[in-house]
Each structure stands twice: as structure tokens, then as C-alpha cells.
């Protein structure tokens, strides 16, 4: 119920052009994503928009009794804004600024063109698990269970969120086949 109220506040603010979310097409925008324990809010890096967004946070806190936790929160700023704009926005929210290489729920929050670099960690986790089993004597059934329960489960979460590069999947498959 509270999440729905917060969502409605953001939608109304976007309709009134008080905040501007991400634009994907002429008429497709997104101002927020709500999860059970986290919220991601997107807006243009303007002082006015950020002040309006901060006002929405305050309005929601007063209405719901839930307080915005600034210590657990962070913000990402585009590289296209000036240092003066960044300082003004930091002053409005009093939040730490994170780089685009930070992780959210164990996965990178933003991915550039170099996907292999980001997802190499997934491959290394699988290889590490497999190499720790190499010196142990397992039956073929035992190996199959380890592969299905562990080695294939490691990349499953990343694959549910992102499309992994084919080369990375091939490398994981080869490592599993060698085991």
C-alpha cells in the first residue's frame, strides 16, 4: 500500500513535469523501479527536478510515517553534468555519489560496451568452484549433481537479468566439460 502511494506520487510529479524520468521512446518514460526493500528513482539532473524529488520524499515520509534512510542511499550522476551541477545536487540530497561500476544485488548496476570485463567475475566463480573439486574423487553421479546444483546455478542469476556474452557462456561450458 505504501509503495503504491509512493509510486503514485512519482507518477503524478512526472505528469506535472516536476520530475523527468528516463525516456526510451517518444512516449515511453520510467521514473522509478520499486522492489520489496529498495527503490530506484530516475530524474534529470536539474536543481529544480531534484528539489521537487526531495519534496516528494518529504511528502511521502510525512504521509506514511516511513523515513527516507539517507545513510543507506546513494546516487549516480551522469558524466555529462558539470561539477557545479553535481555539487548542487549533492547538496540537495546529502547522499554519497557512486560510480557506474558499483554493484547492486551482486551485479553491476550499469554496463557499458565491455560486458566481458563485468561478467568475467561470474566465469571465475564457476572455475573456482570446479577447480576446488578437481582433487576429490567423485562418482559420475556426484559430479553431475555438483554441476547442476552449483556450477550451473552460479551464472543463473546473472543470466536472468542480463544477456551474457556468448564467449563467456562458451568458456563456462568448456570448464564444466573438462570437469
Amino acid at each position: 500500500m505504501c509503495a503504491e502511494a509512493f509510486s503514485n506520487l512519482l507518477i503524478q510529479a512526472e505528469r506535472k513535469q516536476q520530475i523527468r524520468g528516463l525516456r526510451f521512446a517518444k512516449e515511453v518514460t520510467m521514473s522509478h523501479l520499486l522492489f520489496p526493500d529498495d527503490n530506484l528513482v530516475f530524474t534529470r539532473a536539474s536543481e529544480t527536478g531534484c528539489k521537487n524529488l526531495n519534496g516528494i520524499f518529504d511528502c511521502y515520509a510525512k504521509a506514511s510515517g516511513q523515513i527516507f534512510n539517507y545513510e543507506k542511499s546513494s546516487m549516480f550522476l551522469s558524466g555529462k553534468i558539470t561539477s557545479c551541477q553535481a555539487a548542487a545536487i549533492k547538496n540537495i540530497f546529502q547522499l554519497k555519489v557512486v560510480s557506474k561500476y558499483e554493484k547492486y544485488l551482486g551485479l553491476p548496476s550499469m554496463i557499458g560496451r565491455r560486458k566481458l570485463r563485468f561478467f568475467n567475475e561470474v566465469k571465475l566463480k564457476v572455475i573456482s568452484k570446479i577447480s576446488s573439486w578437481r582433487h576429490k574423487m567423485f562418482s559420475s553421479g556426484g559430479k553431475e549433481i555438483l554441476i547442476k546444483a552449483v556450477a550451473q546455478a552460479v551464472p543463473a542469476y546473472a543470466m536472468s537479468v542480463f544477456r551474457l556474452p556468448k564467449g563467456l557462456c562458451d568458456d563456462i561450458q568448456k570448464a564444466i566439460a573438462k570437469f
Side-chain angles (χ1 to χ4, degrees):
M1 183 101 137
C2 287
E4 195 171 328
F6 182 56
S7 180
N8 284 330
L9 285 172
L10 292 168
I11 291 167
Q12 287 175 12
E14 191 173 18
R15 283 186 187 143
K16 293 177 185 175
Q17 296 183 349
Q18 294 171 336
I19 63 171
R20 292 185 64 183
L22 299 175
R23 185 169 301 279
F24 296 102
K26 212 172 196 178
E27 296 184 25
V28 179
T29 62
M30 178 174 46
S31 61
H32 60 285
L33 293 171
L34 303 181
F35 299 99
D37 292 332
D38 293 308
N39 300 318
L40 299 176
V41 181
F42 310 101
T43 190
R44 180 164 278 179
S46 71
E47 270 189 76
T48 305
C50 291
K51 285 178 182 175
N52 290 337
L53 182 59
N54 206 28
I56 292 167
F57 293 154
D58 291 340
C59 176
Y60 174 75
K62 286 176 188 169
S64 69
Q66 293 182 346
I67 299 170
F68 188 83
N69 190 338
Y70 290 93
E71 289 178 18
K72 289 184 176 180
S73 302
S74 59
M75 65 181 171
F76 169 78
L77 299 172
S78 167
K80 295 179 182 179
I81 67 169
T82 65
S83 58
C84 184
Q85 283 177 304
I89 291 168
K90 283 185 214 174
N91 190 40
I92 293 167
F93 291 113
Q94 300 294 311
L95 295 174
K96 66 179 179 180
V97 178
V98 297
S99 73
K100 63 181 171 182
Y101 302 110
E102 298 270 330
K103 290 187 175 186
Y104 179 72
L105 299 177
L107 295 174
S109 56
M110 296 200 168
I111 300 174
R113 297 190 188 275
R114 297 181 180 179
K115 291 181 183 179
L116 276 176
R117 190 176 85 198
F118 286 107
F119 295 116
N120 198 39
E121 190 175 314
V122 173
K123 180 177 87 172
L124 293 175
K125 280 182 188 176
V126 172
I127 291 171
S128 171
K129 299 266 186 207
I130 292 171
S131 64
S132 71
W133 305 330
R134 284 227 165 98
H135 302 295
K136 297 178 181 159
M137 300 300 227
F138 292 111
S139 65
S140 60
K143 286 182 179 183
E144 183 180 349
I145 289 170
L146 282 172
I147 288 169
K148 287 181 179 177
V150 181
Q152 290 178 343
V154 170
Y157 174 59
M159 292 172 82
S160 71
V161 179
F162 297 106
R163 188 173 188 169
L164 298 183
K166 186 173 178 1
L168 182 89
C169 294
D170 291 342
D171 291 347
I172 292 172
Q173 187 70 27
K174 287 175 190 173
I176 290 172
K178 285 180 184 177
F179 175 64

